[in-house]
Structures are given as C-alpha cells and as structure tokens.
Amino acid sequence: MAEVTIRAEFQTSVETVWNVVTDNERYGWRSDLEKIELSEDKNMFTEISRGGIKTDFTITEKKPFERYAFGMKNKNMQGRWIGKFVRGGNGGCIIEFTENVTVFSPVLNLFVKSYLKKQQKQYVKDLKKALGEEG
C-alpha cells in the first residue's frame, strides 16, 4: 500500500477551485486525460488516460467547498482519494489531496509512490494553469 499527499495554495477562491476540480464534464485542462465518461447520476465516472488506461471512480463524499472523496480501481490498482479544500488568506484556497493505493503487481509496488507523486505534481501544475496562476 502506498499513500501520497500533496498540498498547494492558490490565489483563486475555494469555490472556484472546487468547481474546477469536481466538474468531470470539463476536464480539458488535465494534460493526463484523453476522456472522462460519466454515469447518468454522475456519481461514478471512468477516466481514460492519454495512454489508454481506464480507471473507474465512485464518489463517496462530496461536501461542497470542503471535502471530495472517491474510490478508484483499474487493472493495476485500487484505492481511495480524498481532497480537502480550505479557505486560505486573501480569499485564496489551500488544497490537500491524499491518494491511498494498493497495486496488484509486486513490480509496480516498487514504483507506485514515485509515480503517484509525479501524477499529483502534474495535476497541481495543470490546475494552476487552468486557474490562470501559472508562472
């Protein structure tokens, strides 16, 4: 099992950050994704990576502007993701995203933590760009 947490601060309001992160219909800002397919009730979705890997997600908690969580599973792993959103100084937002993953292959287990850290850094970079905070 691997657990990785990233924290980042944004100048953008918590409401705006929340809306971008939780809107699975508008995912074009994410450089790692080819597509997202939503269930009818939008409580489940499948992300298809640029490499063609499909990952299924089930939303387990959605407390507006505070907490967003889901379970996830694909052919290589299963786990959970928890996102916390806190109002920062000057009207900004602080995020804390934690992934807890179990991989199915002992070989992948050797690399999973560094892979997750890389993915999280790219996600925050993409999010900053989407919010106009790159630089």
Side-chain angles (χ1 to χ4, degrees):
M1 185 182 314
E3 184 172 290
V4 177
T5 299
I6 192 166
R7 291 174 190 83
E9 189 165 354
F10 299 89
Q11 300 305 310
T12 307
S13 73
V14 69
E15 292 84 1
T16 299
V17 174
W18 169 270
N19 288 334
V20 171
V21 169
T22 61
D23 186 349
N24 291 317
E25 293 181 272
R26 292 185 179 92
Y27 55 85
W29 58 273
R30 292 197 41 202
S31 64
D32 61 327
L33 291 184
E34 184 70 36
K35 184 177 177 182
I36 292 181
E37 298 171 345
L38 294 165
S39 66
E40 263 188 60
D41 66 5
K42 299 182 183 178
N43 287 323
M44 296 188 316
F45 58 98
T46 299
E47 290 185 353
I48 302 159
S49 73
R50 296 236 181 252
I53 302 289
K54 290 185 176 187
T55 304
D56 296 321
F57 296 85
T58 302
I59 298 169
T60 56
E61 186 175 3
K62 197 169 182 181
K63 187 174 181 183
F65 319 123
E66 290 182 30
R67 192 172 167 95
Y68 185 47
F70 44 76
M72 55 191 175
K73 185 174 185 177
N74 67 24
K75 66 180 184 178
N76 298 313
M77 64 82 189
Q78 67 181 18
R80 67 180 188 273
W81 183 95
I82 298 170
K84 296 177 185 174
F85 301 76
V86 178
R87 290 187 197 283
N90 300 324
C93 175
I94 299 167
I95 54 120
E96 179 181 284
F97 295 164
T98 300
E99 282 182 271
N100 191 304
V101 172
T102 301
V103 293
F104 304 136
S105 160
V107 174
L108 291 177
N109 200 42
L110 299 172
F111 307 102
V112 67
K113 205 163 193 171
S114 61
Y115 174 79
L116 292 174
K117 285 180 183 182
K118 180 181 171 193
Q119 289 292 102
Q120 285 184 336
K121 284 180 186 175
Q122 186 61 54
Y123 186 94
V124 168
K125 182 179 177 182
D126 289 349
L127 183 54
K128 282 188 180 281
K129 185 176 180 181
L131 295 170
E133 293 189 21
E134 61 187 328

